[in-house]
Amino acid sequence: MATKKTTTRATSRATSGSKRIATKRPAAKSTHWSGRFSEPVDALVKRFTASVGFDQRLALVDIRGSLAHAKMLAKQRIISRTDLADIERGMQQIEREIRAGKFVWSLEAEDVHLNIERRLTALVGEAGKRLHTGRSRNDQVATDMRLYVRDEIDALIALLQTLQLRLIDAAEQYADVVMPGFTHLQVAQPVTFGHHLMAYVEMFERDRERLRDARRRVNRLPLGAAALAGTTYPIDRLHVAKTLGFEAVCSNSLDAVSDRDFAIEFCACASLILVHLSRLSEELILWVSPRYGFVTIADRFCTGSSIMPQKKNPDVPELVRGKSGRVIGHLMGLLVLMKAQPLAYNKDNQEDKEPVFDTIDTLRDCLSVFADMVTGIRPVPARMRAAALEGYATATDLADYLVCKGIAFRDAHEIVAAAVKAAETKGCDLADLSLKELQVFSARMSADVKGWLTLEGSLARRAHLGGTAPTQVRRAAAQARQRLKK
Ligand code: ARG
């Protein structure tokens, strides 16, 4: 039974390009774990405990980690130079096989680590058997995950940057386009579309900061902790750390093999990025709806309905909003995964992979599709302006005007409330009231008040740091662009 052919699906979009997990490799030894076991592992248990279906995407980082380990073993004279040369030659061959999609993954060998090690031994013999000296899969897998997440963080930071640049381009282009700013989803005060877009640039800037910060804690080396207690060989962990570009080594061997904080932190960063994307999605969905009609999204990002011929749906933002739930779910899953684990390594930890990988894939897709979509968003200025004129958006400006004329703000607030009420009764905007009509509420009003009631006047007065005036939006965009160059 144990030698029966087994195939599982390779789900990963792995760096490996591998396709299939095959059957038992002919060269593989008995399916007993070792001489200590008196019967082979049950077939279901084998499938249940195996991770090669999803962890084969760690293959290339696994090889990187093994080569660094072997180099150190040779330097410390724990293995010979010839062994090292054999290991390097074998790994080169394995890497070629993986990249070409020709590597045969075997469920018998349980996971990516054992698959590669077995192939190595098949290719180079004795030296392959010496590679695992002073190492355990526990510190090996923790190292692989850190290397993998580190690379992905770098790629995601670059994607965030692209998205930010596109948003900045749009913000500059639409720095003068007036739209209503909302609080409680009610028209509050006029803002510019450019200013609104720049708000997201800020969110994504914090996201990049967070990823960079999390990267520092990802970038520490577990290797050397071995199974949990360290090893008896005279290893040089700093050497391995340097070879692999780690900034430090994990200082406690128990913590080194059992810590998955780095994965949780990464998923927390990812969740927050998706929260930001989801908020922007929600706004786009509202804005393209005919009720708002504030923007259009290029057709290539929309889909139709199979029954209603008139429909053009914002599927992309809707899906991104939906996918945020999935990634937040992964974060929750990882927190619960870790919360009751005693030190040190437990097999539970194998469950960290799929959530982390799916988080990476989902986030990468969401960021890529958004970066493209942003270039296809066009405001409809007339609709935005009309909406801004509907909600007495310049009422605060009128109060500020009265304050300039010497009235206390609380009194000014009351006066304007009465004026708004009158305009409402008359069915017009504040700017449509004549000077005479306004003077009924305060004798301090004079001809210059009109300049305070227009949307452009309201915007232009908010030219301070962080304000919505077009001049300030352009400045903020230029500064953000500078910041991205660093
Ligand atoms: N596939 C395992 C994982 O992902 C590798 C470590 C196995 N270690 C062990 N002691 N069984 O965690």
Side-chain angles (χ1 to χ4, degrees), residues 33 49-52 54-55 58 110-113 136-139 141-142 145 260 345-353:
W33 257 102
T49 53
S51 53
V52 63
F54 50 84
D55 68 12
L58 294 174
E110 190 178 296
D111 58 22
V112 61
H113 322 293
S136 153
R137 277 185 299 155
N138 297 353
D139 56 347
V141 70
M145 282 298 278
R260 293 294 181 274
Y345 176 86
N346 302 282
K347 185 76 168 177
D348 311 40
N349 285 342
Q350 184 165 291
E351 286 290 302
D352 67 349
K353 295 187 186 51

PDB file of all heavy atoms in Angstrom, residues 33 49-52 54-55 58 110-113 136-139 141-142 145 260 345-353, ligand 1:
ATOM      1  N   TRP A  33       9.919   5.614   8.166  1.00  0.00           N
ATOM      2  CA  TRP A  33      10.695   6.821   8.481  1.00  0.00           C
ATOM      3  C   TRP A  33      12.147   6.472   8.738  1.00  0.00           C
ATOM      4  O   TRP A  33      13.055   7.129   8.302  1.00  0.00           O
ATOM      5  CB  TRP A  33      10.094   7.535   9.689  1.00  0.00           C
ATOM      6  CG  TRP A  33       9.316   8.722   9.240  1.00  0.00           C
ATOM      7  CD1 TRP A  33       7.969   8.824   9.133  1.00  0.00           C
ATOM      8  CD2 TRP A  33       9.851   9.963   8.809  1.00  0.00           C
ATOM      9  NE1 TRP A  33       7.632  10.044   8.664  1.00  0.00           N
ATOM     10  CE2 TRP A  33       8.755  10.781   8.456  1.00  0.00           C
ATOM     11  CE3 TRP A  33      11.137  10.496   8.677  1.00  0.00           C
ATOM     12  CZ2 TRP A  33       8.912  12.080   7.984  1.00  0.00           C
ATOM     13  CZ3 TRP A  33      11.292  11.779   8.210  1.00  0.00           C
ATOM     14  CH2 TRP A  33      10.186  12.556   7.861  1.00  0.00           C
ATOM     15  N   THR A  49      -0.057  14.504   6.339  1.00  0.00           N
ATOM     16  CA  THR A  49       1.066  15.230   6.950  1.00  0.00           C
ATOM     17  C   THR A  49       1.974  15.891   5.912  1.00  0.00           C
ATOM     18  O   THR A  49       2.766  16.759   6.258  1.00  0.00           O
ATOM     19  CB  THR A  49       1.934  14.282   7.813  1.00  0.00           C
ATOM     20  OG1 THR A  49       2.314  13.172   7.011  1.00  0.00           O
ATOM     21  CG2 THR A  49       1.181  13.818   9.035  1.00  0.00           C
ATOM     22  N   ALA A  50       1.841  15.486   4.662  1.00  0.00           N
ATOM     23  CA  ALA A  50       2.740  16.030   3.640  1.00  0.00           C
ATOM     24  C   ALA A  50       2.440  17.494   3.357  1.00  0.00           C
ATOM     25  O   ALA A  50       1.297  17.943   3.447  1.00  0.00           O
ATOM     26  CB  ALA A  50       2.592  15.228   2.352  1.00  0.00           C
ATOM     27  N   SER A  51       3.485  18.225   3.030  1.00  0.00           N
ATOM     28  CA  SER A  51       3.284  19.635   2.677  1.00  0.00           C
ATOM     29  C   SER A  51       3.854  19.967   1.305  1.00  0.00           C
ATOM     30  O   SER A  51       3.796  21.110   0.868  1.00  0.00           O
ATOM     31  CB  SER A  51       3.940  20.539   3.742  1.00  0.00           C
ATOM     32  OG  SER A  51       5.286  20.172   3.934  1.00  0.00           O
ATOM     33  N   VAL A  52       4.383  18.945   0.624  1.00  0.00           N
ATOM     34  CA  VAL A  52       5.074  19.231  -0.633  1.00  0.00           C
ATOM     35  C   VAL A  52       4.142  19.859  -1.678  1.00  0.00           C
ATOM     36  O   VAL A  52       4.589  20.633  -2.530  1.00  0.00           O
ATOM     37  CB  VAL A  52       5.762  17.953  -1.189  1.00  0.00           C
ATOM     38  CG1 VAL A  52       4.737  16.874  -1.530  1.00  0.00           C
ATOM     39  CG2 VAL A  52       6.638  18.288  -2.372  1.00  0.00           C
ATOM     40  N   PHE A  54       2.207  22.256  -1.301  1.00  0.00           N
ATOM     41  CA  PHE A  54       2.219  23.725  -1.243  1.00  0.00           C
ATOM     42  C   PHE A  54       3.573  24.324  -0.873  1.00  0.00           C
ATOM     43  O   PHE A  54       3.826  25.479  -1.156  1.00  0.00           O
ATOM     44  CB  PHE A  54       1.122  24.254  -0.311  1.00  0.00           C
ATOM     45  CG  PHE A  54       1.082  23.609   1.066  1.00  0.00           C
ATOM     46  CD1 PHE A  54       1.904  24.067   2.076  1.00  0.00           C
ATOM     47  CD2 PHE A  54       0.205  22.565   1.325  1.00  0.00           C
ATOM     48  CE1 PHE A  54       1.858  23.486   3.339  1.00  0.00           C
ATOM     49  CE2 PHE A  54       0.149  21.974   2.582  1.00  0.00           C
ATOM     50  CZ  PHE A  54       0.982  22.438   3.600  1.00  0.00           C
ATOM     51  N   ASP A  55       4.458  23.532  -0.241  1.00  0.00           N
ATOM     52  CA  ASP A  55       5.714  24.190   0.158  1.00  0.00           C
ATOM     53  C   ASP A  55       6.798  24.087  -0.911  1.00  0.00           C
ATOM     54  O   ASP A  55       7.899  24.601  -0.741  1.00  0.00           O
ATOM     55  CB  ASP A  55       6.204  23.733   1.539  1.00  0.00           C
ATOM     56  CG  ASP A  55       6.655  22.276   1.587  1.00  0.00           C
ATOM     57  OD1 ASP A  55       6.818  21.664   0.520  1.00  0.00           O
ATOM     58  OD2 ASP A  55       6.854  21.767   2.711  1.00  0.00           O
ATOM     59  N   LEU A  58       8.885  26.920  -1.978  1.00  0.00           N
ATOM     60  CA  LEU A  58      10.068  27.368  -1.224  1.00  0.00           C
ATOM     61  C   LEU A  58      11.364  26.798  -1.811  1.00  0.00           C
ATOM     62  O   LEU A  58      12.451  27.045  -1.285  1.00  0.00           O
ATOM     63  CB  LEU A  58       9.946  26.918   0.245  1.00  0.00           C
ATOM     64  CG  LEU A  58       8.817  27.533   1.084  1.00  0.00           C
ATOM     65  CD1 LEU A  58       8.758  26.861   2.449  1.00  0.00           C
ATOM     66  CD2 LEU A  58       9.023  29.038   1.242  1.00  0.00           C
ATOM     67  N   GLU A 110       7.529  13.752   1.648  1.00  0.00           N
ATOM     68  CA  GLU A 110       6.783  14.649   2.537  1.00  0.00           C
ATOM     69  C   GLU A 110       6.817  16.133   2.191  1.00  0.00           C
ATOM     70  O   GLU A 110       5.785  16.746   2.020  1.00  0.00           O
ATOM     71  CB  GLU A 110       7.229  14.460   3.999  1.00  0.00           C
ATOM     72  CG  GLU A 110       6.312  15.192   4.968  1.00  0.00           C
ATOM     73  CD  GLU A 110       6.702  14.978   6.425  1.00  0.00           C
ATOM     74  OE1 GLU A 110       6.639  13.826   6.893  1.00  0.00           O
ATOM     75  OE2 GLU A 110       7.049  15.968   7.094  1.00  0.00           O
ATOM     76  N   ASP A 111       8.006  16.712   2.182  1.00  0.00           N
ATOM     77  CA  ASP A 111       8.025  18.161   1.977  1.00  0.00           C
ATOM     78  C   ASP A 111       9.157  18.579   1.046  1.00  0.00           C
ATOM     79  O   ASP A 111       9.950  17.754   0.575  1.00  0.00           O
ATOM     80  CB  ASP A 111       8.079  18.922   3.315  1.00  0.00           C
ATOM     81  CG  ASP A 111       9.297  18.554   4.154  1.00  0.00           C
ATOM     82  OD1 ASP A 111      10.304  18.063   3.587  1.00  0.00           O
ATOM     83  OD2 ASP A 111       9.254  18.750   5.380  1.00  0.00           O
ATOM     84  N   VAL A 112       9.224  19.872   0.807  1.00  0.00           N
ATOM     85  CA  VAL A 112      10.227  20.409  -0.124  1.00  0.00           C
ATOM     86  C   VAL A 112      11.642  20.068   0.329  1.00  0.00           C
ATOM     87  O   VAL A 112      12.512  19.736  -0.484  1.00  0.00           O
ATOM     88  CB  VAL A 112      10.026  21.943  -0.283  1.00  0.00           C
ATOM     89  CG1 VAL A 112      10.202  22.685   1.035  1.00  0.00           C
ATOM     90  CG2 VAL A 112      10.962  22.514  -1.332  1.00  0.00           C
ATOM     91  N   HIS A 113      11.859  20.087   1.635  1.00  0.00           N
ATOM     92  CA  HIS A 113      13.220  19.894   2.150  1.00  0.00           C
ATOM     93  C   HIS A 113      13.716  18.477   1.871  1.00  0.00           C
ATOM     94  O   HIS A 113      14.817  18.271   1.377  1.00  0.00           O
ATOM     95  CB  HIS A 113      13.266  20.171   3.653  1.00  0.00           C
ATOM     96  CG  HIS A 113      12.401  21.301   4.069  1.00  0.00           C
ATOM     97  ND1 HIS A 113      12.660  22.596   3.703  1.00  0.00           N
ATOM     98  CD2 HIS A 113      11.243  21.342   4.793  1.00  0.00           C
ATOM     99  CE1 HIS A 113      11.706  23.380   4.184  1.00  0.00           C
ATOM    100  NE2 HIS A 113      10.833  22.652   4.854  1.00  0.00           N
ATOM    101  N   SER A 136      18.313  20.994  11.301  1.00  0.00           N
ATOM    102  CA  SER A 136      17.059  20.259  11.402  1.00  0.00           C
ATOM    103  C   SER A 136      16.107  20.899  10.405  1.00  0.00           C
ATOM    104  O   SER A 136      16.304  22.044   9.991  1.00  0.00           O
ATOM    105  CB  SER A 136      16.514  20.402  12.821  1.00  0.00           C
ATOM    106  OG  SER A 136      15.109  20.280  12.832  1.00  0.00           O
ATOM    107  N   ARG A 137      15.059  20.167  10.044  1.00  0.00           N
ATOM    108  CA  ARG A 137      14.077  20.827   9.180  1.00  0.00           C
ATOM    109  C   ARG A 137      13.398  21.985   9.918  1.00  0.00           C
ATOM    110  O   ARG A 137      12.827  22.876   9.299  1.00  0.00           O
ATOM    111  CB  ARG A 137      13.036  19.816   8.699  1.00  0.00           C
ATOM    112  CG  ARG A 137      13.486  19.014   7.503  1.00  0.00           C
ATOM    113  CD  ARG A 137      12.369  18.146   7.012  1.00  0.00           C
ATOM    114  NE  ARG A 137      11.938  17.200   8.022  1.00  0.00           N
ATOM    115  CZ  ARG A 137      10.732  16.651   8.100  1.00  0.00           C
ATOM    116  NH1 ARG A 137       9.812  16.954   7.202  1.00  0.00           N
ATOM    117  NH2 ARG A 137      10.424  15.799   9.044  1.00  0.00           N
ATOM    118  N   ASN A 138      13.475  21.929  11.252  1.00  0.00           N
ATOM    119  CA  ASN A 138      12.813  22.995  12.019  1.00  0.00           C
ATOM    120  C   ASN A 138      13.462  24.361  11.781  1.00  0.00           C
ATOM    121  O   ASN A 138      12.774  25.359  11.555  1.00  0.00           O
ATOM    122  CB  ASN A 138      12.821  22.658  13.510  1.00  0.00           C
ATOM    123  CG  ASN A 138      12.039  21.389  13.812  1.00  0.00           C
ATOM    124  OD1 ASN A 138      11.390  20.833  12.919  1.00  0.00           O
ATOM    125  ND2 ASN A 138      12.108  20.922  15.044  1.00  0.00           N
ATOM    126  N   ASP A 139      14.791  24.391  11.871  1.00  0.00           N
ATOM    127  CA  ASP A 139      15.440  25.693  11.591  1.00  0.00           C
ATOM    128  C   ASP A 139      15.518  25.945  10.087  1.00  0.00           C
ATOM    129  O   ASP A 139      15.526  27.094   9.633  1.00  0.00           O
ATOM    130  CB  ASP A 139      16.809  25.835  12.273  1.00  0.00           C
ATOM    131  CG  ASP A 139      17.794  24.730  11.923  1.00  0.00           C
ATOM    132  OD1 ASP A 139      17.373  23.693  11.350  1.00  0.00           O
ATOM    133  OD2 ASP A 139      18.998  24.889  12.239  1.00  0.00           O
ATOM    134  N   VAL A 141      13.123  25.172   7.770  1.00  0.00           N
ATOM    135  CA  VAL A 141      11.868  25.707   7.229  1.00  0.00           C
ATOM    136  C   VAL A 141      11.648  27.148   7.704  1.00  0.00           C
ATOM    137  O   VAL A 141      11.155  27.994   6.949  1.00  0.00           O
ATOM    138  CB  VAL A 141      10.658  24.811   7.562  1.00  0.00           C
ATOM    139  CG1 VAL A 141      10.292  24.844   9.041  1.00  0.00           C
ATOM    140  CG2 VAL A 141       9.442  25.219   6.732  1.00  0.00           C
ATOM    141  N   ALA A 142      12.055  27.434   8.933  1.00  0.00           N
ATOM    142  CA  ALA A 142      11.906  28.805   9.430  1.00  0.00           C
ATOM    143  C   ALA A 142      12.773  29.751   8.600  1.00  0.00           C
ATOM    144  O   ALA A 142      12.370  30.875   8.274  1.00  0.00           O
ATOM    145  CB  ALA A 142      12.280  28.873  10.908  1.00  0.00           C
ATOM    146  N   MET A 145      11.135  30.232   5.095  1.00  0.00           N
ATOM    147  CA  MET A 145       9.982  31.133   5.129  1.00  0.00           C
ATOM    148  C   MET A 145      10.434  32.589   5.236  1.00  0.00           C
ATOM    149  O   MET A 145       9.869  33.479   4.605  1.00  0.00           O
ATOM    150  CB  MET A 145       9.065  30.791   6.318  1.00  0.00           C
ATOM    151  CG  MET A 145       8.178  29.583   6.079  1.00  0.00           C
ATOM    152  SD  MET A 145       7.032  29.821   4.687  1.00  0.00           S
ATOM    153  CE  MET A 145       5.713  30.746   5.471  1.00  0.00           C
ATOM    154  N   ARG A 260       6.801  32.548  14.770  1.00  0.00           N
ATOM    155  CA  ARG A 260       6.162  32.903  13.495  1.00  0.00           C
ATOM    156  C   ARG A 260       5.603  34.327  13.573  1.00  0.00           C
ATOM    157  O   ARG A 260       4.741  34.709  12.781  1.00  0.00           O
ATOM    158  CB  ARG A 260       5.048  31.910  13.133  1.00  0.00           C
ATOM    159  CG  ARG A 260       5.521  30.497  12.824  1.00  0.00           C
ATOM    160  CD  ARG A 260       6.386  30.415  11.557  1.00  0.00           C
ATOM    161  NE  ARG A 260       6.807  29.055  11.258  1.00  0.00           N
ATOM    162  CZ  ARG A 260       7.888  28.458  11.762  1.00  0.00           C
ATOM    163  NH1 ARG A 260       8.689  29.127  12.578  1.00  0.00           N
ATOM    164  NH2 ARG A 260       8.188  27.213  11.435  1.00  0.00           N
ATOM    165  N   TYR A 345       9.241  23.834  18.352  1.00  0.00           N
ATOM    166  CA  TYR A 345       8.549  23.544  17.098  1.00  0.00           C
ATOM    167  C   TYR A 345       7.411  22.550  17.313  1.00  0.00           C
ATOM    168  O   TYR A 345       7.534  21.575  18.051  1.00  0.00           O
ATOM    169  CB  TYR A 345       9.524  22.953  16.061  1.00  0.00           C
ATOM    170  CG  TYR A 345       8.816  22.559  14.778  1.00  0.00           C
ATOM    171  CD1 TYR A 345       8.608  23.486  13.770  1.00  0.00           C
ATOM    172  CD2 TYR A 345       8.309  21.272  14.611  1.00  0.00           C
ATOM    173  CE1 TYR A 345       7.922  23.134  12.607  1.00  0.00           C
ATOM    174  CE2 TYR A 345       7.624  20.914  13.454  1.00  0.00           C
ATOM    175  CZ  TYR A 345       7.432  21.853  12.462  1.00  0.00           C
ATOM    176  OH  TYR A 345       6.754  21.505  11.328  1.00  0.00           O
ATOM    177  N   ASN A 346       6.295  22.791  16.674  1.00  0.00           N
ATOM    178  CA  ASN A 346       5.200  21.817  16.588  1.00  0.00           C
ATOM    179  C   ASN A 346       4.775  21.737  15.128  1.00  0.00           C
ATOM    180  O   ASN A 346       4.889  22.716  14.387  1.00  0.00           O
ATOM    181  CB  ASN A 346       4.002  22.265  17.430  1.00  0.00           C
ATOM    182  CG  ASN A 346       4.388  22.455  18.884  1.00  0.00           C
ATOM    183  OD1 ASN A 346       4.521  21.501  19.635  1.00  0.00           O
ATOM    184  ND2 ASN A 346       4.599  23.709  19.282  1.00  0.00           N
ATOM    185  N   LYS A 347       4.243  20.603  14.780  1.00  0.00           N
ATOM    186  CA  LYS A 347       3.839  20.410  13.383  1.00  0.00           C
ATOM    187  C   LYS A 347       2.763  21.422  12.973  1.00  0.00           C
ATOM    188  O   LYS A 347       2.571  21.707  11.790  1.00  0.00           O
ATOM    189  CB  LYS A 347       3.351  18.975  13.185  1.00  0.00           C
ATOM    190  CG  LYS A 347       3.026  18.605  11.755  1.00  0.00           C
ATOM    191  CD  LYS A 347       4.241  18.345  10.884  1.00  0.00           C
ATOM    192  CE  LYS A 347       3.819  17.707   9.556  1.00  0.00           C
ATOM    193  NZ  LYS A 347       4.951  17.500   8.652  1.00  0.00           N
ATOM    194  N   ASP A 348       2.063  21.972  13.966  1.00  0.00           N
ATOM    195  CA  ASP A 348       1.084  23.027  13.676  1.00  0.00           C
ATOM    196  C   ASP A 348       1.682  24.069  12.725  1.00  0.00           C
ATOM    197  O   ASP A 348       0.998  24.638  11.877  1.00  0.00           O
ATOM    198  CB  ASP A 348       0.670  23.811  14.934  1.00  0.00           C
ATOM    199  CG  ASP A 348       0.274  22.947  16.118  1.00  0.00           C
ATOM    200  OD1 ASP A 348       0.926  21.914  16.346  1.00  0.00           O
ATOM    201  OD2 ASP A 348      -0.680  23.331  16.810  1.00  0.00           O
ATOM    202  N   ASN A 349       2.975  24.321  12.941  1.00  0.00           N
ATOM    203  CA  ASN A 349       3.616  25.409  12.194  1.00  0.00           C
ATOM    204  C   ASN A 349       3.584  25.212  10.683  1.00  0.00           C
ATOM    205  O   ASN A 349       3.710  26.172   9.929  1.00  0.00           O
ATOM    206  CB  ASN A 349       5.064  25.578  12.655  1.00  0.00           C
ATOM    207  CG  ASN A 349       5.131  26.255  14.001  1.00  0.00           C
ATOM    208  OD1 ASN A 349       4.162  26.887  14.424  1.00  0.00           O
ATOM    209  ND2 ASN A 349       6.240  26.119  14.700  1.00  0.00           N
ATOM    210  N   GLN A 350       3.426  23.975  10.268  1.00  0.00           N
ATOM    211  CA  GLN A 350       3.322  23.726   8.829  1.00  0.00           C
ATOM    212  C   GLN A 350       2.117  24.470   8.239  1.00  0.00           C
ATOM    213  O   GLN A 350       2.082  24.768   7.049  1.00  0.00           O
ATOM    214  CB  GLN A 350       3.195  22.222   8.592  1.00  0.00           C
ATOM    215  CG  GLN A 350       3.175  21.824   7.152  1.00  0.00           C
ATOM    216  CD  GLN A 350       3.416  20.332   6.980  1.00  0.00           C
ATOM    217  OE1 GLN A 350       4.525  19.844   7.223  1.00  0.00           O
ATOM    218  NE2 GLN A 350       2.404  19.598   6.587  1.00  0.00           N
ATOM    219  N   GLU A 351       1.153  24.751   9.095  1.00  0.00           N
ATOM    220  CA  GLU A 351      -0.065  25.439   8.657  1.00  0.00           C
ATOM    221  C   GLU A 351       0.145  26.936   8.417  1.00  0.00           C
ATOM    222  O   GLU A 351      -0.796  27.667   8.134  1.00  0.00           O
ATOM    223  CB  GLU A 351      -1.184  25.244   9.689  1.00  0.00           C
ATOM    224  CG  GLU A 351      -1.801  23.860   9.683  1.00  0.00           C
ATOM    225  CD  GLU A 351      -2.631  23.583   8.427  1.00  0.00           C
ATOM    226  OE1 GLU A 351      -3.576  24.342   8.170  1.00  0.00           O
ATOM    227  OE2 GLU A 351      -2.319  22.622   7.710  1.00  0.00           O
ATOM    228  N   ASP A 352       1.351  27.413   8.617  1.00  0.00           N
ATOM    229  CA  ASP A 352       1.591  28.851   8.367  1.00  0.00           C
ATOM    230  C   ASP A 352       1.712  29.138   6.866  1.00  0.00           C
ATOM    231  O   ASP A 352       1.547  30.274   6.434  1.00  0.00           O
ATOM    232  CB  ASP A 352       2.865  29.346   9.089  1.00  0.00           C
ATOM    233  CG  ASP A 352       4.146  28.723   8.523  1.00  0.00           C
ATOM    234  OD1 ASP A 352       4.071  27.766   7.718  1.00  0.00           O
ATOM    235  OD2 ASP A 352       5.236  29.180   8.912  1.00  0.00           O
ATOM    236  N   LYS A 353       1.996  28.079   6.089  1.00  0.00           N
ATOM    237  CA  LYS A 353       2.395  28.347   4.705  1.00  0.00           C
ATOM    238  C   LYS A 353       1.284  28.834   3.805  1.00  0.00           C
ATOM    239  O   LYS A 353       1.399  29.876   3.159  1.00  0.00           O
ATOM    240  CB  LYS A 353       3.049  27.110   4.112  1.00  0.00           C
ATOM    241  CG  LYS A 353       4.298  26.860   4.865  1.00  0.00           C
ATOM    242  CD  LYS A 353       5.212  25.850   4.430  1.00  0.00           C
ATOM    243  CE  LYS A 353       6.280  25.775   5.501  1.00  0.00           C
ATOM    244  NZ  LYS A 353       5.739  25.623   6.881  1.00  0.00           N
TER     245      LYS A 353
HETATM  246  N1  ARG B   1       7.154  20.658   6.526  1.00  0.00           N
HETATM  247  C1  ARG B   1       7.514  21.041   7.842  1.00  0.00           C
HETATM  248  C2  ARG B   1       6.922  22.415   8.171  1.00  0.00           C
HETATM  249  O1  ARG B   1       6.488  23.065   7.317  1.00  0.00           O
HETATM  250  C3  ARG B   1       8.992  21.088   7.975  1.00  0.00           C
HETATM  251  C4  ARG B   1       9.467  20.918   9.370  1.00  0.00           C
HETATM  252  C5  ARG B   1       9.237  19.539   9.830  1.00  0.00           C
HETATM  253  N2  ARG B   1       9.758  19.329  11.143  1.00  0.00           N
HETATM  254  C6  ARG B   1       9.337  18.324  11.917  1.00  0.00           C
HETATM  255  N3  ARG B   1       9.878  18.245  13.084  1.00  0.00           N
HETATM  256  N4  ARG B   1       8.425  17.493  11.525  1.00  0.00           N
HETATM  257  O2  ARG B   1       6.882  22.821   9.289  1.00  0.00           O
END
